[in-house]
Amino acid sequence: MNARVDPQAMTPVNLQHYWMPFTDNRRFKAKPRLIASAKDMYFTTVEGKQVLDGLATLWCVNAGHGRPRIVEAIRSQAGELDFASSFALGHPLPFRLAERIAAIAPQGMQQVFFTNSGSEAVDTALKIAVAYHRLRGQGTRTRFIGRERSYHGVNIGGTSVGGVAANRKAYSGMLMPGVDHLRHTHDPSRNAFSRGQPDLGAELADELESRVIPLHDASNIAALIVDPVAASGGVLVPPKGYLERLRDICTRHGILLIFDEVITGWGRLGATFAAQHFGIKPDLITFAKGITSGAVPLGGVLVRDSIYQTFMGSPGSGMEFFHGYTYSGHPLAAAAGLATLELYRSEGLFERAASLAPYWENAVHSLRGSRHVVDIRTIGIVAGIELEARSGAVGARGYETFVKCFETGVLVRVTADTIALSPPLIVEEKHIDRIIDVIGKILKGVE
């Protein structure tokens, strides 16, 4: 009962032994959705059905699937140098990739620390913040401020500063101490069906200065971490002026501002990073996902130059930062990253996303008035369609919509009862029309 036949390999797939992440394993294995291949905008299931990718799989395949430039870069590198450590050793590729990233990063952020995922990037940024303050003689700055409904990965540090209730509840006994949270910015009573940044809510940032800082004292706070668009928390777009206020408050009180751009980085809002789209200068930026278009795991932290120089100017000789991962700067990941950045450049995919944003916005907002839809939020090539929850069954309507969309040939993602959309940046108007048409038809039949 737990086996499926792959028509390409003609061998049974035993589902018993793989414990799947963030999945209702029992429900999935009773009726699995298995992918055999992918190309450009489409998956092909093991049954041979095509499914349009409406989420860049998991917010990461920004350049589309199976792009030859990326595939060949990985294949070629595997035959030349499969692995070399970055611990007191090195190879050219991560240096070249860091140089390419620095060239398109926000001004004054020219230093890159590589990790293997967004979760690792977040924990790395937290460590950098604490170590930086200690080097400057402010060792009491060890507290962090996150936000409700923000997602910062699944490591203990990221879960602690994150504000996803289910994640925090599951591990409440082992989360980091010294963490507080600002309230989220979702306010449908004032901002429902906003296009781009909502007009109201900038004052929510003032809680940092009116409540949090007086409670803990700025001398004890290392950093505030913010996902510019809280994508995994339900596609919550920051109100106009909100991020600017957070930046000003952090600057006044010597608190570092970390932008978690694991999802918003690499063209999703029409710029390399959301920091550039919003015109904000954070102190650290975490990234992952789209840096390799999902082809090989890779993440990292962009660091303000003055922070890096503080480490390099530390007294004595020897290791400046006691942190790193076995696979930091992995050759295959770096090769994939270089090929992906070149693809973004040569095809103008970030600019393409910016030019398509109005069409995307209008298409998604055409679902206003559809059955169960209580709010729609859009920015760049990202959208959240919030459905009214069933009484006593939060998330049930959203999950049913997800399953029915997949069965009809479109992949979406749901967070509770919010449908999240974020297709590859190679998306065309016909793909957008198909995504919206399928969602609209499915909602008519969902109870």
Side-chain angles (χ1 to χ4, degrees):
M1 184 171 107
N2 281 343
R4 283 294 182 272
V5 176
D6 182 338
Q8 296 180 350
M10 297 304 291
T11 57
V13 179
N14 189 330
L15 306 181
Q16 178 180 353
H17 302 287
Y18 178 34
W19 190 348
M20 300 172 66
F22 275 119
T23 299
D24 182 336
N25 280 254
R26 290 164 294 187
R27 183 154 52 173
F28 177 90
K29 291 175 182 180
K31 190 176 181 181
R33 294 171 291 277
L34 296 177
I35 303 299
S37 62
K39 181 62 180 170
D40 297 331
M41 286 292 300
Y42 290 90
F43 294 109
T44 301
T45 70
V46 295
E47 297 84 11
K49 182 175 73 175
Q50 284 204 318
V51 178
L52 179 59
D53 188 353
L55 194 81
T57 306
L58 203 58
W59 314 92
C60 49
V61 187
N62 291 9
H65 295 276
R67 301 303 304 272
R69 183 189 293 273
I70 302 172
V71 172
E72 182 52 39
I74 297 168
R75 180 185 292 118
S76 176
Q77 185 58 43
E80 181 175 338
L81 175 64
D82 54 353
F83 176 62
S85 171
S86 289
F87 288 16
L89 195 61
H91 59 95
L93 290 185
F95 294 96
R96 292 173 182 163
L97 179 58
E99 181 182 20
R100 288 292 307 277
I101 293 171
I104 56 176
Q107 186 177 9
M109 305 189 77
Q110 299 291 292
Q111 308 300 324
V112 183
F113 191 102
F114 285 119
T115 68
N116 308 293
S117 68
S119 294
E120 291 179 356
V122 167
D123 277 32
T124 299
L126 301 181
K127 283 187 173 182
I128 290 173
V130 168
Y132 165 73
H133 288 302
R134 184 178 181 184
L135 285 171
R136 297 174 65 243
Q138 299 184 20
T140 60
R141 288 186 181 266
T142 58
R143 287 186 172 272
F144 291 97
I145 311 302
R147 295 191 302 168
E148 298 170 349
R149 295 186 64 169
S150 285
Y151 176 80
H152 298 298
V154 296
N155 290 350
I156 290 300
T159 303
S160 300
V161 297
V164 178
N167 294 358
R168 294 180 57 82
K169 177 182 177 181
Y171 307 105
S172 60
M174 58 188 299
L175 298 181
M176 287 169 38
V179 176
D180 204 343
H181 292 79
L182 301 176
R183 66 149 292 182
H184 60 75
T185 62
H186 187 38
D187 189 356
S189 67
R190 297 193 295 170
N191 292 321
F193 298 98
S194 292
R195 294 171 177 249
Q197 292 185 263
D199 290 325
L200 304 175
E203 75 283 352
L204 295 172
D206 296 339
E207 182 190 12
L208 177 60
E209 195 165 40
S210 65
R211 179 185 68 81
V212 174
I213 291 175
L215 178 63
H216 302 293
D217 196 83
S219 65
N220 295 314
I221 301 174
L224 166 69
I225 183 166
V226 172
D227 36 4
V229 176
S232 295
V235 188
L236 310 183
V237 181
K240 293 175 182 175
Y242 173 81
L243 295 174
E244 289 85 345
R245 288 200 194 188
L246 289 181
R247 173 68 277 183
D248 290 345
I249 295 168
C250 286
T251 300
R252 283 199 299 273
H253 295 278
I255 299 168
L256 297 183
L257 176 61
I258 304 170
F259 267 17
D260 182 350
E261 298 226 33
V262 170
I263 286 176
T264 54
W266 314 116
R268 186 57 49 195
L269 302 188
T272 306
F273 293 104
Q276 293 155 313
H277 173 84
F278 292 119
I280 308 295
K281 292 185 177 181
D283 300 296
L284 300 101
I285 292 176
T286 63
F287 64 84
K289 294 188 182 288
I291 180 60
T292 64
S293 196
V296 180
L298 178 63
V301 183
L302 264 165
V303 182
R304 180 161 50 82
D305 297 348
S306 59
I307 294 176
Y308 175 76
Q309 292 304 329
T310 297
F311 282 86
M312 295 306 106
S314 58
S317 60
M319 199 178 298
E320 302 93 4
F321 184 39
F322 288 81
H323 177 71
Y325 300 98
T326 297
Y327 298 120
S328 291
H330 193 286
L332 300 191
L338 284 164
T340 302
L341 291 187
E342 178 55 27
L343 200 58
Y344 291 148
R345 186 203 64 80
S346 63
E347 296 189 359
L349 291 184
F350 298 172
E351 296 81 4
R352 189 173 187 281
S355 67
L356 264 177
Y359 189 91
W360 170 259
E361 178 183 275
N362 288 332
V364 178
H365 277 275
S366 72
L367 291 172
R368 181 172 183 173
S370 296
R371 192 180 186 196
H372 307 305
V373 173
V374 295
D375 191 18
I376 295 174
R377 303 177 286 278
T378 52
I379 189 167
I381 307 296
V382 182
I385 303 165
E386 187 168 344
L387 309 180
E388 184 178 16
R390 290 176 182 158
S391 178
V394 173
R397 181 171 284 141
Y399 184 81
E400 182 180 335
T401 302
F402 156 70
V403 171
K404 289 183 180 295
C405 281
F406 186 87
E407 292 172 346
T408 310
V410 172
L411 175 69
V412 303
R413 184 164 177 78
V414 291
T415 299
D417 288 292
T418 295
I419 303 167
L421 299 172
S422 182
L425 305 183
I426 61 170
V427 66
E428 300 176 14
E429 292 182 0
K430 65 180 181 181
H431 301 130
I432 296 173
D433 294 343
R434 171 66 175 162
I435 292 168
I436 301 307
D437 181 63
V438 166
I439 293 172
K441 289 179 179 177
I442 294 300
L443 289 177
K444 291 179 181 179
V446 170
E447 294 300 324

Short mmCIF file of all heavy atoms in Angstrom, two decimals, residues 272-325:
data_model
loop_
_atom_site.label_atom_id
_atom_site.label_comp_id
_atom_site.label_asym_id
_atom_site.label_seq_id
_atom_site.Cartn_x
_atom_site.Cartn_y
_atom_site.Cartn_z
N THR A 272 17.73 42.71 -6.02
CA THR A 272 18.52 41.60 -5.47
C THR A 272 18.02 41.24 -4.08
O THR A 272 17.80 40.07 -3.78
CB THR A 272 20.01 41.97 -5.41
OG1 THR A 272 20.45 42.41 -6.71
CG2 THR A 272 20.84 40.77 -4.99
N PHE A 273 17.85 42.24 -3.23
CA PHE A 273 17.35 42.01 -1.87
C PHE A 273 16.21 42.98 -1.58
O PHE A 273 16.13 44.07 -2.14
CB PHE A 273 18.47 42.22 -0.85
CG PHE A 273 19.57 41.19 -0.93
CD1 PHE A 273 20.78 41.51 -1.52
CD2 PHE A 273 19.39 39.91 -0.44
CE1 PHE A 273 21.80 40.57 -1.61
CE2 PHE A 273 20.39 38.96 -0.53
CZ PHE A 273 21.60 39.29 -1.11
N ALA A 274 15.35 42.58 -0.65
CA ALA A 274 14.26 43.45 -0.22
C ALA A 274 14.79 44.73 0.40
O ALA A 274 14.15 45.78 0.32
CB ALA A 274 13.36 42.72 0.78
N ALA A 275 15.97 44.66 1.02
CA ALA A 275 16.58 45.86 1.59
C ALA A 275 16.71 46.95 0.54
O ALA A 275 16.49 48.14 0.81
CB ALA A 275 17.94 45.52 2.19
N GLN A 276 17.08 46.56 -0.68
CA GLN A 276 17.22 47.54 -1.76
C GLN A 276 15.85 47.98 -2.27
O GLN A 276 15.65 49.15 -2.60
CB GLN A 276 18.05 46.92 -2.88
CG GLN A 276 19.50 46.67 -2.46
CD GLN A 276 20.17 45.57 -3.26
OE1 GLN A 276 19.60 44.50 -3.46
NE2 GLN A 276 21.38 45.83 -3.74
N HIS A 277 14.91 47.07 -2.32
CA HIS A 277 13.56 47.42 -2.74
C HIS A 277 12.94 48.46 -1.82
O HIS A 277 12.33 49.44 -2.26
CB HIS A 277 12.68 46.17 -2.78
CG HIS A 277 11.24 46.44 -3.04
ND1 HIS A 277 10.72 46.61 -4.31
CD2 HIS A 277 10.18 46.58 -2.18
CE1 HIS A 277 9.42 46.85 -4.23
NE2 HIS A 277 9.06 46.84 -2.95
N PHE A 278 13.12 48.26 -0.50
CA PHE A 278 12.53 49.16 0.48
C PHE A 278 13.41 50.36 0.80
O PHE A 278 12.97 51.29 1.47
CB PHE A 278 12.22 48.41 1.77
CG PHE A 278 11.11 47.40 1.66
CD1 PHE A 278 11.35 46.06 1.91
CD2 PHE A 278 9.83 47.78 1.30
CE1 PHE A 278 10.33 45.12 1.81
CE2 PHE A 278 8.80 46.86 1.19
CZ PHE A 278 9.06 45.52 1.45
N GLY A 279 14.66 50.34 0.36
CA GLY A 279 15.56 51.45 0.63
C GLY A 279 16.03 51.49 2.07
O GLY A 279 16.28 52.57 2.61
N ILE A 280 16.19 50.32 2.70
CA ILE A 280 16.63 50.22 4.09
C ILE A 280 18.04 49.62 4.12
O ILE A 280 18.36 48.72 3.34
CB ILE A 280 15.69 49.32 4.91
CG1 ILE A 280 14.23 49.77 4.74
CG2 ILE A 280 16.08 49.31 6.39
CD1 ILE A 280 13.93 51.13 5.27
N LYS A 281 18.87 50.08 5.05
CA LYS A 281 20.21 49.53 5.20
C LYS A 281 20.32 48.75 6.50
O LYS A 281 20.59 49.34 7.56
CB LYS A 281 21.26 50.65 5.15
CG LYS A 281 21.39 51.31 3.79
CD LYS A 281 22.52 52.33 3.76
CE LYS A 281 22.68 52.94 2.38
NZ LYS A 281 23.79 53.93 2.34
N PRO A 282 20.13 47.43 6.46
CA PRO A 282 20.31 46.63 7.67
C PRO A 282 21.80 46.44 7.95
O PRO A 282 22.66 46.83 7.15
CB PRO A 282 19.65 45.30 7.31
CG PRO A 282 19.80 45.21 5.82
CD PRO A 282 19.73 46.62 5.31
N ASP A 283 22.12 45.84 9.07
CA ASP A 283 23.50 45.56 9.43
C ASP A 283 23.96 44.19 8.97
O ASP A 283 25.13 43.98 8.68
CB ASP A 283 23.68 45.68 10.95
CG ASP A 283 23.32 47.08 11.43
OD1 ASP A 283 24.02 48.04 11.05
OD2 ASP A 283 22.33 47.21 12.19
N LEU A 284 23.02 43.25 8.93
CA LEU A 284 23.30 41.91 8.43
C LEU A 284 22.10 41.44 7.61
O LEU A 284 20.96 41.81 7.90
CB LEU A 284 23.54 40.91 9.57
CG LEU A 284 24.71 41.19 10.51
CD1 LEU A 284 24.18 41.80 11.81
CD2 LEU A 284 25.47 39.90 10.84
N ILE A 285 22.38 40.65 6.58
CA ILE A 285 21.33 40.07 5.75
C ILE A 285 21.58 38.57 5.64
O ILE A 285 22.68 38.15 5.25
CB ILE A 285 21.29 40.67 4.33
CG1 ILE A 285 20.85 42.13 4.37
CG2 ILE A 285 20.37 39.86 3.42
CD1 ILE A 285 20.89 42.82 3.01
N THR A 286 20.60 37.77 6.00
CA THR A 286 20.72 36.33 5.78
C THR A 286 20.09 35.98 4.43
O THR A 286 19.10 36.58 4.02
CB THR A 286 20.01 35.53 6.88
OG1 THR A 286 18.61 35.82 6.87
CG2 THR A 286 20.58 35.85 8.25
N PHE A 287 20.69 35.00 3.76
CA PHE A 287 20.15 34.58 2.45
C PHE A 287 20.33 33.08 2.29
O PHE A 287 21.10 32.43 3.00
CB PHE A 287 20.82 35.33 1.30
CG PHE A 287 22.29 35.07 1.15
CD1 PHE A 287 22.76 33.97 0.44
CD2 PHE A 287 23.23 35.94 1.70
CE1 PHE A 287 24.12 33.73 0.30
CE2 PHE A 287 24.59 35.72 1.55
CZ PHE A 287 25.04 34.59 0.85
N ALA A 288 19.62 32.49 1.33
CA ALA A 288 19.73 31.07 0.98
C ALA A 288 18.84 30.86 -0.25
O ALA A 288 18.76 31.73 -1.11
CB ALA A 288 19.31 30.17 2.14
N LYS A 289 18.17 29.74 -0.33
CA LYS A 289 17.17 29.39 -1.34
C LYS A 289 17.55 29.81 -2.75
O LYS A 289 18.21 29.09 -3.47
CB LYS A 289 15.81 29.96 -0.94
CG LYS A 289 15.24 29.32 0.33
CD LYS A 289 13.82 29.76 0.61
CE LYS A 289 13.26 29.17 1.90
NZ LYS A 289 12.96 27.74 1.84
N GLY A 290 17.16 31.03 -3.19
CA GLY A 290 17.34 31.43 -4.57
C GLY A 290 18.77 31.64 -5.01
O GLY A 290 19.02 31.79 -6.20
N ILE A 291 19.74 31.64 -4.11
CA ILE A 291 21.13 31.83 -4.49
C ILE A 291 21.60 30.76 -5.46
O ILE A 291 22.45 30.99 -6.31
CB ILE A 291 22.06 31.91 -3.25
CG1 ILE A 291 23.52 32.10 -3.64
CG2 ILE A 291 21.92 30.68 -2.39
CD1 ILE A 291 23.81 33.36 -4.41
N THR A 292 21.05 29.54 -5.37
CA THR A 292 21.36 28.48 -6.33
C THR A 292 20.11 28.03 -7.07
O THR A 292 20.11 26.98 -7.71
CB THR A 292 21.98 27.26 -5.64
OG1 THR A 292 21.01 26.68 -4.76
CG2 THR A 292 23.24 27.62 -4.87
N SER A 293 19.05 28.80 -7.00
CA SER A 293 17.75 28.42 -7.54
C SER A 293 17.33 27.05 -7.01
O SER A 293 16.67 26.27 -7.70
CB SER A 293 17.77 28.41 -9.08
OG SER A 293 16.45 28.40 -9.60
N GLY A 294 17.75 26.76 -5.78
CA GLY A 294 17.35 25.53 -5.13
C GLY A 294 18.10 24.29 -5.57
O GLY A 294 17.85 23.20 -5.06
N ALA A 295 19.06 24.42 -6.49
CA ALA A 295 19.70 23.25 -7.08
C ALA A 295 20.65 22.54 -6.11
O ALA A 295 20.78 21.31 -6.16
CB ALA A 295 20.46 23.64 -8.35
N VAL A 296 21.35 23.29 -5.27
CA VAL A 296 22.27 22.75 -4.26
C VAL A 296 22.08 23.58 -3.00
O VAL A 296 21.96 24.81 -3.09
CB VAL A 296 23.74 22.84 -4.72
CG1 VAL A 296 24.67 22.27 -3.64
CG2 VAL A 296 23.95 22.09 -6.02
N PRO A 297 22.04 22.97 -1.83
CA PRO A 297 21.88 23.76 -0.60
C PRO A 297 23.02 24.76 -0.42
O PRO A 297 24.19 24.41 -0.52
CB PRO A 297 21.91 22.69 0.50
CG PRO A 297 21.48 21.43 -0.17
CD PRO A 297 22.02 21.52 -1.56
N LEU A 298 22.66 26.01 -0.17
CA LEU A 298 23.64 27.08 0.09
C LEU A 298 22.94 28.23 0.78
O LEU A 298 21.83 28.61 0.41
CB LEU A 298 24.27 27.56 -1.23
CG LEU A 298 25.28 28.72 -1.11
CD1 LEU A 298 26.48 28.31 -0.29
CD2 LEU A 298 25.72 29.19 -2.50
N GLY A 299 23.58 28.78 1.79
CA GLY A 299 23.08 29.97 2.47
C GLY A 299 24.24 30.85 2.85
O GLY A 299 25.40 30.55 2.55
N GLY A 300 23.92 31.95 3.50
CA GLY A 300 25.00 32.84 3.91
C GLY A 300 24.50 34.06 4.64
O GLY A 300 23.29 34.28 4.78
N VAL A 301 25.46 34.86 5.11
CA VAL A 301 25.17 36.11 5.79
C VAL A 301 26.01 37.21 5.16
O VAL A 301 27.23 37.09 5.04
CB VAL A 301 25.50 36.03 7.30
CG1 VAL A 301 25.13 37.34 8.00
CG2 VAL A 301 24.80 34.85 7.95
N LEU A 302 25.34 38.25 4.73
CA LEU A 302 26.02 39.47 4.28
C LEU A 302 26.21 40.36 5.50
O LEU A 302 25.28 40.57 6.28
CB LEU A 302 25.18 40.21 3.25
CG LEU A 302 25.48 39.95 1.77
CD1 LEU A 302 24.33 40.46 0.93
CD2 LEU A 302 26.78 40.62 1.36
N VAL A 303 27.42 40.90 5.66
CA VAL A 303 27.78 41.62 6.86
C VAL A 303 28.25 43.03 6.52
O VAL A 303 29.03 43.22 5.57
CB VAL A 303 28.89 40.88 7.63
CG1 VAL A 303 29.24 41.60 8.92
CG2 VAL A 303 28.45 39.45 7.93
N ARG A 304 27.76 44.01 7.28
CA ARG A 304 28.24 45.38 7.09
C ARG A 304 29.75 45.44 7.29
O ARG A 304 30.32 44.81 8.19
CB ARG A 304 27.51 46.30 8.07
CG ARG A 304 27.91 47.76 7.98
CD ARG A 304 26.87 48.67 8.62
NE ARG A 304 26.47 48.26 9.95
CZ ARG A 304 27.15 48.55 11.07
NH1 ARG A 304 28.29 49.22 11.01
NH2 ARG A 304 26.69 48.18 12.25
N ASP A 305 30.42 46.19 6.44
CA ASP A 305 31.88 46.23 6.42
C ASP A 305 32.47 46.57 7.78
O ASP A 305 33.46 45.96 8.22
CB ASP A 305 32.37 47.25 5.39
CG ASP A 305 31.95 46.89 3.96
OD1 ASP A 305 31.49 45.75 3.76
OD2 ASP A 305 32.09 47.74 3.07
N SER A 306 31.87 47.54 8.49
CA SER A 306 32.42 47.95 9.77
C SER A 306 32.35 46.83 10.81
O SER A 306 33.20 46.75 11.71
CB SER A 306 31.71 49.20 10.28
OG SER A 306 30.31 48.95 10.44
N ILE A 307 31.33 45.97 10.71
CA ILE A 307 31.24 44.83 11.61
C ILE A 307 32.38 43.85 11.33
O ILE A 307 33.08 43.39 12.25
CB ILE A 307 29.88 44.12 11.48
CG1 ILE A 307 28.75 45.05 11.94
CG2 ILE A 307 29.85 42.80 12.26
CD1 ILE A 307 27.36 44.48 11.75
N TYR A 308 32.61 43.55 10.07
CA TYR A 308 33.70 42.66 9.70
C TYR A 308 35.05 43.22 10.15
O TYR A 308 35.89 42.49 10.70
CB TYR A 308 33.69 42.45 8.19
CG TYR A 308 34.85 41.64 7.65
CD1 TYR A 308 34.89 40.25 7.80
CD2 TYR A 308 35.91 42.26 7.00
CE1 TYR A 308 35.95 39.51 7.30
CE2 TYR A 308 36.98 41.53 6.50
CZ TYR A 308 36.98 40.15 6.66
OH TYR A 308 38.04 39.42 6.17
N GLN A 309 35.24 44.51 9.96
CA GLN A 309 36.52 45.11 10.33
C GLN A 309 36.74 45.07 11.84
O GLN A 309 37.88 45.01 12.31
CB GLN A 309 36.59 46.55 9.81
CG GLN A 309 36.68 46.65 8.29
CD GLN A 309 37.86 45.87 7.72
OE1 GLN A 309 38.91 45.72 8.35
NE2 GLN A 309 37.69 45.38 6.49
N THR A 310 35.65 45.09 12.61
CA THR A 310 35.79 44.95 14.05
C THR A 310 36.40 43.59 14.40
O THR A 310 37.26 43.48 15.28
CB THR A 310 34.42 45.12 14.74
OG1 THR A 310 33.94 46.44 14.48
CG2 THR A 310 34.53 44.90 16.25
N PHE A 311 35.94 42.55 13.72
CA PHE A 311 36.52 41.22 13.93
C PHE A 311 37.99 41.18 13.49
O PHE A 311 38.84 40.62 14.19
CB PHE A 311 35.72 40.16 13.18
CG PHE A 311 34.44 39.77 13.84
CD1 PHE A 311 33.27 40.50 13.62
CD2 PHE A 311 34.37 38.68 14.69
CE1 PHE A 311 32.09 40.15 14.22
CE2 PHE A 311 33.19 38.31 15.31
CZ PHE A 311 32.04 39.05 15.08
N MET A 312 38.26 41.76 12.33
CA MET A 312 39.62 41.72 11.80
C MET A 312 40.58 42.57 12.63
O MET A 312 41.79 42.35 12.62
CB MET A 312 39.65 42.19 10.35
CG MET A 312 38.88 41.29 9.38
SD MET A 312 39.39 39.54 9.44
CE MET A 312 37.99 38.80 10.31
N GLY A 313 40.05 43.53 13.37
CA GLY A 313 40.89 44.39 14.20
C GLY A 313 40.99 43.92 15.64
O GLY A 313 41.53 44.63 16.49
N SER A 314 40.48 42.73 15.92
CA SER A 314 40.55 42.22 17.28
C SER A 314 42.00 41.98 17.68
O SER A 314 42.84 41.64 16.85
CB SER A 314 39.76 40.91 17.39
OG SER A 314 40.25 39.94 16.48
N PRO A 315 42.34 42.17 18.95
CA PRO A 315 43.74 42.06 19.40
C PRO A 315 44.26 40.63 19.30
O PRO A 315 43.50 39.66 19.39
CB PRO A 315 43.68 42.52 20.86
CG PRO A 315 42.27 42.28 21.28
CD PRO A 315 41.44 42.53 20.05
N GLY A 316 45.56 40.51 19.09
CA GLY A 316 46.20 39.20 19.04
C GLY A 316 46.04 38.55 17.68
O GLY A 316 45.48 39.13 16.75
N SER A 317 46.55 37.35 17.55
CA SER A 317 46.44 36.61 16.30
C SER A 317 45.58 35.38 16.52
O SER A 317 45.21 35.05 17.65
CB SER A 317 47.84 36.19 15.83
OG SER A 317 48.46 35.36 16.81
N GLY A 318 45.26 34.71 15.44
CA GLY A 318 44.46 33.51 15.54
C GLY A 318 43.05 33.71 15.03
O GLY A 318 42.70 34.73 14.43
N MET A 319 42.21 32.76 15.28
CA MET A 319 40.85 32.72 14.76
C MET A 319 40.02 33.89 15.28
O MET A 319 39.97 34.14 16.48
CB MET A 319 40.22 31.39 15.17
CG MET A 319 39.02 30.96 14.40
SD MET A 319 38.47 29.33 14.99
CE MET A 319 39.90 28.32 14.61
N GLU A 320 39.36 34.61 14.36
CA GLU A 320 38.58 35.78 14.77
C GLU A 320 37.14 35.43 15.15
O GLU A 320 36.50 36.14 15.92
CB GLU A 320 38.53 36.82 13.64
CG GLU A 320 39.89 37.32 13.18
CD GLU A 320 40.42 36.52 11.99
OE1 GLU A 320 39.69 35.63 11.49
OE2 GLU A 320 41.57 36.78 11.58
N PHE A 321 36.61 34.34 14.60
CA PHE A 321 35.20 34.01 14.79
C PHE A 321 35.09 32.49 14.94
O PHE A 321 35.34 31.75 14.00
CB PHE A 321 34.38 34.50 13.59
CG PHE A 321 32.89 34.31 13.70
CD1 PHE A 321 32.21 34.50 14.89
CD2 PHE A 321 32.15 33.95 12.57
CE1 PHE A 321 30.84 34.32 14.98
CE2 PHE A 321 30.78 33.79 12.65
CZ PHE A 321 30.12 33.97 13.85
N PHE A 322 34.71 32.04 16.12
CA PHE A 322 34.66 30.61 16.42
C PHE A 322 33.33 30.02 15.96
O PHE A 322 32.43 29.74 16.74
CB PHE A 322 34.89 30.38 17.92
CG PHE A 322 36.31 30.62 18.34
CD1 PHE A 322 36.76 31.92 18.59
CD2 PHE A 322 37.21 29.58 18.47
CE1 PHE A 322 38.07 32.16 18.97
CE2 PHE A 322 38.52 29.81 18.84
CZ PHE A 322 38.96 31.10 19.08
N HIS A 323 33.25 29.83 14.67
CA HIS A 323 31.99 29.36 14.08
C HIS A 323 32.25 28.92 12.65
O HIS A 323 33.12 29.45 11.97
CB HIS A 323 30.95 30.48 14.11
CG HIS A 323 29.66 30.11 13.46
ND1 HIS A 323 28.78 29.22 14.02
CD2 HIS A 323 29.10 30.50 12.28
CE1 HIS A 323 27.71 29.09 13.22
NE2 HIS A 323 27.89 29.86 12.17
N GLY A 324 31.47 27.94 12.18
CA GLY A 324 31.57 27.51 10.78
C GLY A 324 30.97 26.13 10.62
O GLY A 324 30.64 25.44 11.59
N TYR A 325 30.81 25.72 9.36
CA TYR A 325 30.21 24.42 9.05
C TYR A 325 31.14 23.65 8.12
O TYR A 325 31.84 24.24 7.28
CB TYR A 325 28.85 24.61 8.38
CG TYR A 325 27.87 25.36 9.24
CD1 TYR A 325 27.67 26.73 9.05
CD2 TYR A 325 27.16 24.72 10.25
CE1 TYR A 325 26.78 27.43 9.87
CE2 TYR A 325 26.28 25.42 11.06
CZ TYR A 325 26.09 26.77 10.86
OH TYR A 325 25.22 27.46 11.66
#
